Amino acid sequence: MLYSYPVDLPTKLAILADAAKYDASCASSGGTRRDSSQGRGLGSNEGMGICHSFAPDGRCISLLKILLTNFCLYDCAYCINRRGSDVPRARFTVEEVVALTLDFYRRNCIEGLFLSSGVIRDPDYTMEQLVRVARTLREVHDFRGYIHLKTIPDAAPELLAQAGRWADRLSVNIELPTQQGLDRLAPEKSSTSIRRSMARLTLAIEDAQAERRAVRAQPVRLLPGAGRRKAAPPVFAAAGQSTQMIVGADGASDATILATSAQLYGAYRLRRVYYSAFSPIPHAAAALPAQAPPLLREHRLYQADWLMRFYGFGADEITPSGQTGMLALDVDPKLAWALAHPERFPVDLNTAPRALLLRVPGLGVRSVDKLLLARRARRLRAADLRALRVSPAKVLPFVVLADHRPRAGGVERSALAEPRSLASPAAPVHPSSLQAALF
């Protein structure tokens, strides 16, 4: 099929910005701090702005999120930009992406760039084009804002090394949680090649970090005639790597999805696994579901992911065997675990270790740390929960305090469940669009 690409930049931007909205993995936290406050360079990766990416400390960083092109050699059934899709096509040149990034920055619209692409010609050519954009921004224009590049599986290791030299974060999409799902919906892609690219990035990131630690460990010599301290090696993808999984396209259960995520976190030290609820596309293949999964399922997966990363839960604990393998929609995963394990409660907030406090519904990581500090001074009471901005309604049914003990008989699930309008699969939550308009 032949495509006639638009030649005017606004049309290209409208097409390729819209095409990029399906990619969720664009958080901008963790990069090396850079700015132009001393009169050198252009941009900053620390600023505030109109944006849709958030750092862990609450900072908002705006990103120009676009595709280099939405033409693709692959024919993945779940992708709107697949080879056989009847959608308007467009392609930027490297110079156009660079000019757009600088122009939007100077207009105070963005603080960084998120750049992905369909695969054109072959993986190496596509990756080389993405690297050229980042290198031109950094070397020619001294751009110091945030850059996130999507890396192409099967691209040459030399190109991946260059990408990590210029980008703050790299990501390789795992696409689906199982190879069986890829065989059925994306037979041109291989889980093995995707994980091979992840492994190469992991090794490069760890090697760069080890080199920088070795340089920092060298003593500073101030004696006359002493040699100079070795210069720090260049940073490689300082914000690490991430990936994205499509939820609800291949029939995989939440247990399978979380098990895959846990394996990716452990094997490749990913910063984040992003979950994207499948969205039905025009002229979809018969193998795809006719309806999208409830967005609340995506939300529950993010909550479960948080439990694995910060609360010490294992994937098999969140979705234990013997059940359907699906997370409950009426209660969050942490509360569901607590209700399923009444023998672990109530927990004495004045004596329990940190690992157990993290499993109490309603207590977050910061709340637990504040409680540990507060109980050094005196025994905690129910009023202290409000002072620490903890919801008593969520916490009190599961804890013992100096002046409180929960009633006998346990906790009724119905009393803690979320409203049906939020939890029902028949009434999925429809948040406002995360893709900001560029015009």
Side-chain angles (χ1 to χ4, degrees), residues 313-321:
F313 282 80
D316 56 341
E317 293 182 282
I318 302 171
T319 53
S321 59

Side-chain angles (χ1 to χ4, degrees), residues 375-397:
R375 77 185 192 184
R376 291 181 181 180
R378 62 181 177 83
R379 290 181 60 79
L380 299 175
R381 298 177 175 272
D384 295 324
L385 296 179
R386 295 186 181 88
L388 294 172
R389 297 185 178 181
V390 172
S391 172
K394 293 181 179 179
V395 176
L396 288 179

Side-chain angles (χ1 to χ4, degrees), residues 3 15 25 27 47 61 71 102 141 153 213 216 218 220 251 258 365 380:
Y3 297 96
I15 293 173
S25 54
I61 298 180
F71 177 80
L102 298 176
H141 301 281
R213 285 195 298 268
R216 286 196 297 267
Q218 292 179 357
V220 179
L258 292 174
V365 174
L380 299 175

Side-chain angles (χ1 to χ4, degrees), residues 226-301:
R228 293 184 178 181
R229 187 175 185 177
K230 184 179 178 182
V235 175
F236 186 95
Q241 65 169 317
S242 59
T243 192
Q244 177 174 326
M245 244 188 287
I246 299 172
V247 176
D250 62 340
S253 67
D254 293 341
T256 300
I257 292 171
L258 292 174
T260 299
S261 296
Q263 197 275 333
L264 293 175
Y265 281 128
Y268 307 110
R269 306 186 190 282
L270 300 186
R271 288 293 183 91
R272 288 290 300 274
V273 174
Y274 291 86
Y275 307 96
S276 178
F278 168 71
S279 178
I281 56 179
H283 313 296
L288 292 172
Q291 292 185 338
L295 288 183
L296 189 56
R297 180 186 177 192
E298 177 186 302
H299 179 59
R300 295 297 186 222
L301 284 168

Side-chain angles (χ1 to χ4, degrees), residues 72-139:
C72 191
L73 297 177
Y74 298 148
D75 202 27
C76 306
Y78 48 79
C79 183
I80 188 67
N81 299 314
R82 68 192 185 280
R83 183 177 65 242
S85 180
D86 185 20
V87 296
R89 305 283 180 170
R91 178 180 174 182
F92 284 127
T93 65
V94 170
E95 293 73 21
E96 286 173 333
V97 176
V98 171
L100 280 171
T101 303
L102 298 176
D103 184 47
F104 275 108
Y105 172 77
R106 290 187 177 108
R107 286 196 263 166
N108 200 29
C109 295
I110 64 165
E111 296 292 340
L113 171 67
F114 176 93
L115 184 62
S116 184
S117 180
V119 179
I120 46 179
R121 293 194 189 177
D122 55 61
D124 283 350
Y125 175 79
T126 306
M127 194 70 236
E128 189 271 337
Q129 296 291 296
L130 296 174
V131 169
R132 277 186 58 198
V133 171
R135 185 175 64 244
T136 303
L137 284 169
R138 295 288 195 223
E139 283 197 320

Side-chain angles (χ1 to χ4, degrees), residues 38-73:
Q38 297 180 355
R40 294 187 298 120
L42 176 71
S44 166
N45 65 353
E46 303 178 64
M48 303 284 289
I50 304 171
C51 54
H52 36 249
S53 281
F54 295 87
D57 59 2
R59 290 182 299 113
C60 227
I61 298 180
S62 57
L63 298 178
L64 174 61
K65 187 166 72 166
I66 55 176
L67 300 184
L68 186 67
T69 179
N70 64 340
F71 177 80
C72 191
L73 297 177

